[in-house]
Amino acid sequence: MNNHKFVVRKAAVLGAGVMGAQIAAHLINANIETLLFELPAEKGDLNDNVTKAIENLKKQDPAPLSVPARAASIQPANYEQNLELLKDCDIVIEAIAERMDLKRALYEKIAPYLAEHAIFASNTSGLSINKLAQAFPENLRHRFCGIHFFNPPRYMHLAELIACTESDAAMLNDLEAFLVTCLGKGVIRAKDTPNFIANRIGVFSMLATMHHAREYGLGFDVVDALTGPLIGRPKSATFRTADVVGLDILAHVIETMRDTLANDPWHKYYAVPGWLQGLIETGALGQKTKRGVYRKAGKEIHVLDLARKEYILSGGVADDDIKELLRQKNPAGKLGALRANPHPQAQFLWAIFRDLFHYCAVHLNAIADNARDLDFAMRWGFGWNQGPFETWQAAGWSDITGWINEDIAAGKSMSDVSLPDWVREMGQSASQAADRDIQGVHRTQGSYSPSANSFRQRSTLPVYRRQLFPDKLLGEQAQYGTTLFETDAVRMWHIPGKSGSAGTADDGVAILSFKSKMHTIGSDVLDGVQQALDEAERNWRALVIWQTEPPFSAGANLQKATERLKSGEPPSALTVLAKKLRKTAQSAVLKAARSLNLADALMAGKLAEVEAMVAQFQQTSQDLRYSMIPTVAAVDGLALGGGCEFMMHCDRTVATLESYIGLVETGVGLIPAGGGCKELALRAAQETIDGDPFPLLKNYFQSVATAQLAKSGEQAKELGYLRHADQIVMNRFELLYVAKANAIALAEAGYRPPLKARSIPVAGSTGIATIKGMLVNMREGNFISEHDYLIGSKLAHVMCGGELTPGSLVDENWFLELERAAFIELLATEKTQARVEHTLKTGKPLRN
């Protein structure tokens, strides 16, 4: 029996190109000591090439690093001086150019330096893993496999795991567990076929889209307008995605399919279009060269016009009737209407769906174990809302099958190959009572596997026990435990079970989930939280706040009506860091001005009602802090404004790496008033070394005044929204498990709430004067308006504890009263009301 526990203490990445450097960055995000190798520089420091690649990580957007400072933790290395360092590595990932000869030569060079237990994996996007394995020493091949990360590695959930013939089964299981928990990936076991699963299907989909775009005379920008969010795919759609990936990379993948799939029924379409080859030959490779299918000219976006052979202003749109058709909720009606509609855009869309379904059905058996793996590969690797088989099944399996067959017979399909026999069989209703009305490949008993001619259940590897509610497939309804109580605003529940592990009734942990849109917090949610705390104190050991879907909370909803802000940006920044931080602040509230929702009643001047709601919010925050049972916030996605304040008052926060956290109220002319200002002032006082809270307080002030959004869980720690003891989880599907484990640990330790802070030293009048001095300079330099100055001054007054002698001692209520008063005073001003009203109506900021 193998009792070896696989642990990754140190990793190495070979190749500091786009993918290699970003894989190294994500390993560092996961707190894994990482070496990044590159060819030695021809002159000067031999590590110059890799050092430049590491520095470039700090400039990229979206950011590969959770915080820029982590770049310093990547250890640069080169193949001439540093191969000995590989002996200490537990996993080595090769990510050099997609050339078999170069990879083989590198394998021969580094193999003598690999530890006996080390896993060696290639990040190839489509080369044969078995052929690569032949370049590896025979005695080490059991430790060899492929790991195909998707670009950008930090953000794309998919990692394809590909075994060679000799790959050790236990090693693959260990590696899958590492990828899932430590790197946060959704792992799909792919067969060793050209381009594996996601790229094989994704690139065919792009080729089919190019073919039918030409057939129906549609421009690149029109195609992108049709093949993005309108059909459940990313905004980058087709040709913008090609630019992002790199036109040279796309061409390479197409050529791999051409060279390795000679007998494929669609082989004649595996060719790089002439226009694409022409762009590549002129150095127009897409986003990395600032010119590809699209290019930016000043503030304008231009698109290549094939007929004119030049760039023109991009303005192609989807036809209004087609957009209306695509908005209907019935999938069956949608695809049927597209097929019947003679409009070229409708015919184009039906054709790309039809040929995608046809292709997936024919190739499923060769490239994937089952339909679930193929669908998840497209969702996780390409960002589609649904996989191809999910879309087919939702639209009516038998109807779509019949239409595909009709089009094949009529010569309309890109291939005349028949659908496999199993496709017709999937059109028959299931025999089980629970599935009797289900047609298609996804059923209660699992997803269909043509090779096994049976339905495969999900993986039973131990790592997946941590995913209490994994990503759902079409038709899967998650059963979120047993309800303890439920209102229109919240639901309190628990997970029944027999053992005492996290996720069972015996663990004594209750869960609270919000039901409001974007999980905003109004009086009804506040009532629900207080009721949940009462119930938890009576009958449960701990309370976890977790939402069944992100976001955690878009903030305080101060209206009884449900209309909320659609979007918005903050006004210009309020500190000397204004220019530097403005983009961050704008990004924060652009995604999240949902954090403050003020009803018409507020604009009519009902401030007393608002003040009562603010007081209720503050009291609920305090109740979370001082409850007799531990409270844990499980944060994924946005935690803004009041959502951030709730999180800050829980005993512990467990947040995913991709959590975007901030107090963004200044974006609409207000300040945080749910205890956020108080909490930051308290933390500054508790964390100070020399007794002076102002240095830390000034940093916190800058974050709040500029509505700065933490763009990762790690950055939230830097900004003070998360504490050092709070935990970052890499895989969002493990979030609830880890949050419950934290709650159990607190309870097991004999939890008692913290003592109420009654002697908080304030920065006082000196701190206020210092901040106002900064604001005056900003106002005089015309960086902020007079009203910006007022907002900043009010914020400084609250966070510094008012006009008191520095070092004066106050309690928490003192800060809460200052918060509440300042919030109401700002809301009473005409300019803040104008900002709120303008943002509600237009979704844009008002500078006044």
Side-chain angles (χ1 to χ4, degrees):
M1 179 177 179
N2 182 11
N3 293 319
H4 170 69
K5 180 181 178 182
F6 177 65
V7 176
V8 176
R9 291 181 173 86
K10 193 170 188 177
V13 178
L14 309 181
V18 173
M19 283 300 291
Q22 291 195 56
I23 291 169
H26 196 55
L27 288 164
I28 285 292
N29 290 339
N31 292 327
I32 297 167
E33 188 177 350
T34 302
L35 295 159
L36 179 59
F37 279 80
E38 187 49 274
L39 294 170
E42 294 182 359
K43 57 183 178 180
D45 186 344
L46 293 182
N47 278 332
D48 274 351
N49 290 337
V50 68
T51 300
K52 289 177 182 176
I54 293 171
E55 281 300 305
N56 189 50
L57 289 170
K58 297 188 285 188
K59 304 172 186 176
Q60 295 178 32
D61 186 22
L65 295 156
S66 58
V67 290
R70 286 193 170 240
S73 296
I74 302 175
Q75 184 177 346
N78 66 80
Y79 303 116
E80 184 173 316
Q81 294 176 312
N82 306 123
L83 290 180
E84 286 283 342
L85 298 175
L86 290 173
K87 293 181 177 179
D88 296 327
C89 294
D90 303 292
I91 183 168
V92 179
I93 300 172
E94 171 268 305
I96 67 170
E98 288 287 85
R99 282 177 48 183
M100 187 71 77
D101 58 332
L102 295 179
K103 292 181 186 288
R104 285 177 176 270
L106 180 62
Y107 295 0
E108 293 172 3
K109 187 171 188 175
I110 59 91
Y113 299 93
L114 296 177
E116 185 178 344
H117 72 280
I119 294 175
F120 186 84
S122 175
N123 182 57
T124 178
S125 60
L127 297 180
S128 170
I129 296 301
N130 278 295
K131 287 183 180 179
L132 287 173
Q134 297 308 305
F136 215 59
E138 188 173 354
N139 65 317
L140 294 180
R141 287 178 195 164
H142 67 290
R143 311 297 296 170
F144 180 79
C145 65
I147 304 173
H148 181 208
F149 293 94
F150 278 69
N151 189 19
R154 171 183 162 184
Y155 301 94
M156 299 308 295
H157 190 56
L158 178 64
E160 290 177 316
L161 184 57
I162 313 99
C164 70
T165 303
E166 295 95 338
S167 294
D168 180 75
M171 178 272 290
L172 292 171
N173 291 344
D174 286 342
L175 184 54
E176 181 165 351
F178 167 74
L179 292 169
V180 169
T181 291
C182 296
L183 298 188
K185 296 304 171 187
V187 174
I188 296 296
R189 300 280 185 109
K191 296 183 179 181
D192 187 22
T193 54
N195 296 330
F196 313 127
I197 301 175
N199 273 351
R200 177 76 174 272
I201 300 302
V203 171
F204 170 77
S205 179
M206 295 179 80
L207 288 170
T209 299
M210 293 175 189
H211 169 74
H212 290 299
R214 182 173 64 251
E215 189 176 48
Y216 289 100
L218 304 180
F220 295 136
D221 50 354
V222 174
V223 169
D224 278 354
L226 289 166
T227 59
L230 280 176
I231 61 170
R233 298 184 186 173
K235 290 181 180 179
S236 56
T238 301
F239 294 106
R240 291 185 193 278
T241 295
D243 273 354
V244 171
V245 169
L247 301 186
D248 53 336
I249 302 299
L250 174 61
H252 173 78
V253 177
I254 295 171
E255 289 166 352
T256 299
M257 295 171 73
R258 179 197 65 200
D259 296 342
T260 57
L261 296 168
N263 297 321
D264 190 291
W266 284 266
H267 182 264
K268 67 179 180 180
Y269 296 102
Y270 300 159
V272 178
W275 61 265
L276 177 56
Q277 189 61 47
L279 286 173
I280 294 170
E281 290 172 356
T282 62
L285 306 181
Q287 185 172 281
K288 58 189 173 186
T289 59
K290 300 183 180 180
R291 185 166 66 94
V293 177
Y294 294 89
R295 74 175 184 187
K296 196 171 183 180
K299 294 184 177 180
E300 295 179 341
I301 302 297
H302 289 197
V303 63
L304 181 66
D305 184 286
L306 289 181
R308 296 163 60 173
K309 297 183 179 179
E310 63 182 15
Y311 288 93
I312 62 172
L313 185 64
S314 176
V317 296
D319 180 82
D320 288 341
D321 289 341
I322 303 302
K323 285 195 290 187
E324 190 63 30
L325 186 158
L326 291 171
R327 288 192 185 106
Q328 63 176 289
K329 294 182 179 180
N330 180 3
K334 189 184 303 184
L335 284 181
L338 286 174
R339 186 172 188 265
N341 192 315
H343 194 288
Q345 291 186 12
Q347 288 298 297
F348 160 77
L349 287 172
W350 161 249
I352 65 171
F353 276 116
R354 175 200 64 215
D355 289 322
L356 174 64
F357 298 156
H358 187 187
Y359 189 87
C360 289
V362 169
H363 289 298
L364 174 61
N365 186 45
I367 67 175
D369 177 73
N370 59 75
R372 176 179 54 250
D373 286 355
L374 189 148
D375 278 347
F376 275 150
M378 298 314 300
R379 281 167 50 176
W380 295 345
F382 278 75
W384 294 5
N385 288 352
Q386 284 189 326
F389 289 121
E390 288 181 290
T391 304
W392 183 347
Q393 186 165 326
W397 189 269
S398 293
D399 287 343
I400 297 295
T401 300
W403 295 338
I404 294 173
N405 282 328
E406 288 176 16
D407 282 7
I408 293 172
K412 294 180 179 180
S413 178
M414 291 171 67
S415 171
D416 61 2
V417 65
S418 299
L419 288 171
D421 290 341
W422 64 260
V423 173
R424 177 182 52 79
E425 294 169 4
M426 290 301 105
Q428 299 170 1
S429 296
S431 58
Q432 285 89 344
D435 283 352
R436 62 179 179 273
D437 296 325
I438 297 178
Q439 294 183 351
V441 291
H442 301 305
R443 302 188 183 180
T444 303
Q445 64 264 45
S447 294
Y448 185 69
S449 169
S451 61
N453 192 27
S454 63
F455 290 85
R456 299 279 203 195
Q457 291 284 354
R458 291 174 181 259
S459 171
T460 57
L461 286 178
V463 67
Y464 293 109
R465 297 173 194 161
R466 298 168 58 88
Q467 297 189 14
L468 303 180
F469 300 99
D471 205 356
K472 297 189 293 292
L473 274 170
L474 173 74
E476 290 183 336
Q477 299 296 323
Q479 300 296 320
Y480 292 109
T482 300
T483 300
L484 299 173
F485 78 81
E486 187 169 10
T487 70
D488 290 340
V490 304
R491 176 176 178 254
M492 186 180 184
W493 52 286
H494 73 99
I495 305 174
K498 295 181 180 179
S499 69
S501 62
T504 68
D506 292 341
D507 63 27
V509 178
I511 304 163
L512 183 68
S513 302
F514 301 168
K515 296 166 63 177
S516 53
K517 196 165 188 179
M518 295 293 288
H519 305 133
T520 52
I521 303 166
S523 290
D524 49 358
V525 171
L526 295 175
D527 290 339
V529 173
Q530 290 173 334
Q531 184 178 346
L533 286 169
D534 289 342
E535 165 65 20
E537 285 187 335
R538 285 195 306 269
N539 298 310
W540 299 87
R541 299 171 69 196
L543 178 68
V544 171
I545 301 177
W546 176 78
Q547 316 299 0
T548 57
E549 296 289 340
F552 177 74
S553 174
N557 182 346
L558 299 181
Q559 65 175 20
K560 292 182 179 179
T562 57
E563 181 182 2
R564 60 179 176 82
L565 295 176
K566 293 181 179 178
S567 65
E569 298 173 323
S572 81
L574 301 174
T575 74
V576 289
L577 299 179
K579 289 185 176 180
K580 182 178 179 182
L581 299 178
R582 184 173 294 146
K583 285 187 178 180
T584 300
Q586 288 177 344
S587 173
V589 185
L590 232 169
K591 295 175 181 177
R594 302 177 178 92
S595 62
L596 285 171
N597 302 309
L598 305 178
D600 294 338
L602 303 187
M603 308 311 294
K606 295 184 179 179
L607 297 179
E609 180 182 346
V610 178
E611 184 170 10
M613 294 170 68
V614 174
Q616 183 190 15
F617 201 119
Q618 291 179 334
Q619 184 58 54
T620 306
S621 295
Q622 291 293 90
D623 290 345
L624 284 168
R625 166 60 48 81
Y626 296 112
S627 171
M628 294 306 296
I629 46 93
T631 57
V632 176
V635 174
D636 182 32
L638 299 175
L640 302 168
C644 179
E645 289 171 306
F646 263 14
M647 175 203 79
M648 292 170 71
H649 282 81
C650 287
D651 294 296
R652 186 69 50 83
T653 294
V654 179
T656 61
L657 183 70
E658 302 311 323
S659 293
Y660 304 92
I661 299 169
L663 298 172
V664 297
E665 286 85 348
T666 57
V668 285
L670 293 163
I671 69 164
C677 294
K678 177 271 299 180
E679 188 62 21
L680 290 175
L682 177 59
R683 292 183 184 185
Q686 291 174 337
E687 294 166 8
T688 183
I689 297 174
D690 58 6
D692 180 9
F694 185 72
L696 284 173
L697 196 65
K698 183 176 71 171
N699 293 336
Y700 293 154
F701 169 85
Q702 290 171 344
S703 297
V704 178
T706 57
Q708 189 170 6
L709 180 72
K711 294 185 177 180
S712 70
E714 287 294 339
Q715 191 181 17
K717 286 191 174 184
E718 286 190 348
L719 297 178
Y721 298 131
L722 292 180
R723 297 152 294 202
H724 293 300
D726 292 332
Q727 287 188 273
I728 307 298
V729 172
M730 299 299 285
N731 195 318
R732 62 176 293 256
F733 296 106
E734 296 184 348
L735 177 63
L736 180 58
Y737 179 92
V738 178
K740 286 168 67 69
N742 272 262
I744 293 167
L746 289 169
E748 287 288 342
Y751 175 82
R752 292 287 302 176
L755 295 173
K756 293 185 178 180
R758 303 186 188 280
S759 301
I760 309 169
V762 301
S765 56
T766 302
I768 295 171
T770 302
I771 293 175
K772 281 189 173 181
M774 297 163 53
L775 295 174
V776 167
N777 290 335
M778 293 299 295
R779 183 183 61 189
E780 295 302 316
N782 200 34
F783 291 105
I784 63 174
S785 69
E786 192 66 38
H787 195 55
D788 292 331
Y789 175 82
L790 175 64
I791 298 164
S793 298
K794 292 289 185 187
L795 181 62
H797 181 82
V798 173
M799 295 185 71
C800 291
E803 296 285 352
L804 299 177
T805 303
S808 297
L809 302 178
V810 301
D811 63 10
E812 293 181 64
N813 284 333
W814 176 266
F815 281 102
L816 294 174
E817 289 172 5
L818 291 177
E819 270 187 3
R820 195 163 61 248
F823 183 93
I824 296 303
E825 288 168 11
L826 285 170
L827 187 58
T829 65
E830 291 184 3
K831 289 190 174 181
T832 283
Q833 291 184 13
R835 288 188 180 193
V836 172
E837 187 171 20
H838 180 84
T839 308
L840 280 167
K841 289 181 178 178
T842 69
K844 297 179 180 180
L846 174 65
R847 177 92 186 277
N848 59 0

